[in-house]
Amino acid sequence: MALRRILTVDSTADLAVLKQVSAPVPAVDDALRALMDDMLETMYAAPGIGLAAVQVGEPIRVIVMDLGDREATEEIPEGAEPTRNPTYYVNPEIVWSSEETAPYEEGCLSVPEIFEEVERPARVKLRYLNYNGEQIEEDADGLYAVCIQHEMDHLQGVLFIDHLSRLKRDRSIAKVKKAAKAA
Ligand code: K2U
Ligand code: ZN
């Protein structure tokens, strides 16, 4: 497994890649699984709870996620190691979205240090291929629904700041560029 560089909006070249519409994957094979392993390692190191392949420069329709204990209902013992429960999405589709929407303050590993509220459908139904190429159909709500929709946007070349006003979006990119220059 290897860590990959995460593309960020302060770079014009990176932004051009992030704005691409990702291509469907022809087959779930060992090469794809190796990329998904790298994506997961990169996501944990960031740290993050989701990552789309385009964010590591591979514009193909693949997402990895791990909500860890964030959706857990039972109390998590103090200092316990976060449980790892990675999930993999190849050629994912949202086949149904609720009319009901819910707000969530989102961030993005490609838009560092920017957090803004985005309104999205509260519940979605997904269809995708898993790590072994098996077809899965699943309902998502809560943080799972937020994260998968955020990642699905990436596959369309859409960043969460594209849901904001033009002014807020441009200010966000300017802030990321300023911070990158200062670093
Ligand atoms: O696409 C990404 O950059 C991954 C995001 C996924 C995400 C965005 C908004 C809301 C939920 C998930 C990163 O994981 S942002 C970091 C993060 C970490 C913990 C909880 C929420 C967001
Ligand atoms: Zn993101």
Side-chain angles (χ1 to χ4, degrees):
M1 290 216 273
L3 286 176
R4 303 282 187 111
R5 183 177 74 84
I6 295 177
L7 279 57
T8 52
V9 298
D10 51 286
S11 150
T12 308
D14 283 5
L15 184 57
V17 175
L18 289 165
K19 298 303 286 173
Q20 283 182 33
V21 175
S22 295
V25 173
V28 182
D29 55 19
D30 288 345
L32 186 73
R33 279 185 279 269
L35 169 63
M36 293 193 283
D37 293 344
D38 286 356
M39 286 172 63
L40 198 65
E41 185 185 5
T42 301
M43 184 194 81
Y44 285 138
I49 58 175
L51 193 68
V54 66
Q55 292 181 274
V56 293
E58 304 277 356
I60 59 173
R61 303 185 82 78
V62 176
I63 292 164
V64 297
M65 277 176 55
D66 187 343
L67 301 183
D69 301 322
R70 284 183 183 79
E71 297 263 283
T73 45
E74 65 280 354
E75 255 319 287
I76 310 296
E78 193 55 39
E81 270 295 299
T83 48
R84 287 203 160 169
N85 179 25
T87 43
Y88 308 81
Y89 305 82
V90 178
N91 298 337
E93 301 164 79
I94 291 179
V95 296
W96 174 86
S97 302
S98 63
E99 291 285 313
E100 180 203 352
T101 63
Y104 192 92
E105 186 164 89
E106 299 192 12
C108 181
L109 298 174
S110 295
V111 190
E113 307 306 316
I114 301 293
F115 297 92
E116 293 287 351
E117 188 171 285
V118 176
E119 192 90 15
R120 295 183 189 272
R123 287 169 288 111
V124 292
K125 183 181 284 289
L126 310 173
R127 187 178 299 147
Y128 60 93
L129 300 179
N130 67 11
Y131 192 81
N132 300 314
E134 296 151 337
Q135 174 139 329
I136 307 284
E137 196 153 295
E138 195 167 68
D139 296 330
D141 62 4
L143 181 57
Y144 184 9
V146 174
C147 189
I148 195 64
Q149 292 178 88
H150 175 110
E151 302 307 336
M152 293 286 291
D153 266 356
H154 275 299
L155 304 187
Q156 294 303 108
V158 173
L159 299 169
F160 82 100
I161 54 174
D162 295 330
H163 294 288
L164 308 177
S165 69
R166 178 68 178 267
L167 180 66
K168 274 193 169 182
R169 178 188 182 280
D170 293 349
R171 276 188 178 155
S172 298
I173 292 180
K175 271 186 201 165
V176 176
K177 283 181 187 277
K178 189 174 175 197
K181 224 176 189 171

